[in-house]
Amino acid sequence: MKTNSFQAWLLAARPKTLTGAAIPVMTGCALAHWQGCLQLAPALLCFAFAFLMQIDANFVNDLYDFLKGSDRGDRLGPERACAQGWISPRHMRWGILITTLLAAACGLSLLAYGGLWMIPVGLACMVFAFLYTAGPYPLAYHGWGDVLVVVFFGFVPVGCTFLVMVHRWDTSVTLASLACGLVIDTLLMVNNFRDREQDALSGKRTLVVRFGARFGLVFYYLLGMAACWCCFYFLTCGKPWAALLPQFYLLPHILTTLKMARIHRGRELNLVLSETSRNMLLFGLLLTAGLVL
């Protein structure tokens, strides 16, 4: 791998994680379509902001986990660019700055549709992308990662996408946001389950490190179940497909949970990571389809 090459930056951006950015914006667009308010320009800007912030967070995590010494030779997850020497820390800082500025440009463009209230929301996204692994109190190292996922992959993207087009909030947005946040948190949970022993050595006190592997496995299962339960609310809104279609997610989710329990530890859990990413994309597509029908 040539240092600081395009391929290195592409791998550092971790494109497979972009499904986590797409699902909530897709859901917010489907909710706006339900209300007859879907608009192409703000929808595309919301997608661009979400993708850029996801890449930005990936760059920040790559750099600061490397600087903190968390990305050691016994790492089980996908290889990181700084730890492998593919991108130098100096260039990664420039990458973070440029990606942040591009995301800010998309966010400012959305002010024409959403209003000035979006400024503090956008700033919060950028600040917490850093605070997740950087700063004197990195939130991911103290067990706050799951809360941040529900907020910044659920309520913020679903809610803001809906608000810039519809300009109000209702219970359907709350339940859809919660469902998206919970199902996307399964991806973080399998990461933390796989890395529990390495995280403990690095001083990273995730929920799995705090409460054990059995807790992580049960919590992973319940996250997917709870996401599906949230969708039953749409039965009360005359949207039966939005309630019923996401339930088809449960079969692959249960099968992946069983595989996770069977493998239990080691690099082979990356198979579970891939299946989890596939499952949550399926959930997002089913919920979106149900809201549009």
Side-chain angles (χ1 to χ4, degrees):
M1 180 76 68
K2 186 178 179 181
T3 305
N4 302 321
S5 65
F6 174 78
Q7 185 182 5
W9 282 105
L10 183 63
L11 290 172
R14 297 166 65 192
K16 290 182 179 180
T17 66
L18 296 183
T19 54
I23 290 167
V25 178
M26 197 165 58
T27 303
C29 288
L31 288 165
H33 179 273
W34 176 17
Q35 301 299 323
C37 298
L38 181 63
Q39 302 171 60
L40 181 60
L44 291 176
L45 286 170
C46 286
F47 273 112
F49 181 81
F51 287 153
L52 286 165
M53 284 308 307
Q54 177 66 64
I55 293 169
D56 200 28
N58 290 340
F59 287 170
V60 172
N61 293 348
D62 196 305
L63 174 63
Y64 284 94
D65 278 344
F66 168 70
L67 295 177
K68 292 175 184 296
S70 300
D71 287 337
R72 303 186 308 272
D74 60 350
R75 176 178 170 78
L76 300 175
E79 293 173 326
R80 295 283 188 88
C82 287
Q84 294 297 319
W86 299 339
I87 298 175
S88 67
R90 182 173 70 88
H91 282 86
M92 185 61 84
R93 287 187 174 93
W94 276 107
I96 291 168
L97 176 62
I98 292 169
T99 310
T100 303
L101 291 175
L102 289 173
C106 291
L108 290 172
S109 299
L110 279 166
L111 295 182
Y113 301 95
L116 294 177
W117 63 267
M118 296 196 68
I119 294 177
V121 176
L123 288 173
C125 292
M126 295 174 184
V127 168
F128 279 95
F130 281 87
L131 293 182
Y132 187 75
T133 48
Y137 188 83
L139 296 169
Y141 284 70
H142 292 85
W144 291 100
D146 301 275
V147 175
L148 293 178
V149 167
V150 173
V151 173
F152 288 100
F153 287 86
F155 289 98
V156 170
V158 176
C160 288
T161 301
F162 183 81
L163 281 169
V164 297
M165 290 183 268
V166 185
H167 305 292
R168 62 181 175 81
W169 188 290
D170 57 33
T171 307
S172 65
V173 182
T174 301
L175 271 296
S177 299
L178 183 58
C180 285
L182 292 171
V183 81
I184 293 171
D185 193 37
T186 60
L187 197 65
L188 177 64
M189 185 54 59
V190 71
N191 266 312
N192 291 342
F193 182 85
R194 179 199 61 210
D195 296 336
R196 60 192 184 275
E197 294 170 359
Q198 290 73 26
D199 285 345
L201 292 173
S202 302
K204 194 172 182 179
R205 303 287 292 169
T206 65
L207 293 181
V208 182
V209 171
R210 289 173 182 269
F211 301 112
R214 183 178 179 83
F215 168 86
L217 186 65
V218 172
F219 195 58
Y220 173 88
Y221 171 72
L222 290 177
L223 284 169
M225 294 293 292
C228 290
W229 294 337
C230 290
C231 297
F232 283 123
Y233 168 79
F234 293 106
L235 287 173
T236 68
C237 306
K239 279 286 179 181
W241 289 114
L244 300 176
L245 283 180
Q247 308 309 315
F248 287 101
Y249 156 87
L250 287 176
L251 178 58
H253 175 65
I254 291 169
L255 293 174
T256 301
T257 304
L258 294 172
K259 179 178 286 190
M260 185 173 165
R262 186 172 65 254
I263 297 172
H264 192 64
R265 61 162 44 86
R267 200 176 299 275
E268 197 178 351
L269 283 167
N270 286 322
L271 297 174
V272 176
L273 184 68
S274 297
E275 288 190 12
T276 300
S277 181
R278 177 205 65 195
N279 294 348
M280 71 185 199
L281 178 60
L282 173 64
F283 178 89
L285 291 171
L286 290 170
L287 178 57
T288 298
L291 289 168
V292 169
L293 287 175

